[in-house]
Amino acid sequence: MYNKNTILLVDDEEVGKQRLKDVITDDFEVLDASNGQEALEVLAVNINKVAVIVLDLIMPVMDGFQFMDEFRKH
């Protein structure tokens, strides 16, 4: 048995996010968020766990560009 790497999917489009989750869930643990602010909150409790972030750029509340600016600060 091995530990799956964890991917954080950040996208406000639920259908696309679910389709991607369906494809990768056998090989990866998948966390998700609907905008950059939610992604920062998910990362706050999973920072040592997340190996990859798949990030949409155009989202409400906090877009991907704003997320990256905040992420770099920490």
Side-chain angles (χ1 to χ4, degrees):
M1 186 76 168
Y2 68 96
N3 290 332
K4 293 181 180 181
N5 286 324
T6 301
I7 294 177
L8 173 59
L9 299 179
V10 187
D11 194 338
D12 61 317
E13 188 178 308
E14 293 300 321
V15 173
K17 187 167 52 176
Q18 187 58 50
R19 285 182 180 160
L20 184 53
K21 286 170 81 172
D22 292 344
V23 171
I24 64 175
T25 196
D26 288 342
D27 297 314
F28 299 95
E29 181 176 346
V30 181
L31 303 175
D32 68 274
S34 295
N35 60 63
Q37 184 61 47
E38 280 185 30
L40 290 173
E41 293 167 7
V42 170
L43 281 173
V45 295
N46 294 287
I47 192 65
N48 294 322
K49 189 176 183 182
V50 174
V52 174
I53 301 170
V54 178
L55 179 66
D56 185 16
L57 295 178
I58 309 301
M59 297 177 289
V61 182
M62 178 186 285
D63 66 28
F65 298 107
Q66 293 167 316
F67 168 83
M68 289 305 299
D69 287 342
E70 288 299 315
F71 183 73
R72 283 188 203 120
K73 291 178 184 177
H74 304 287

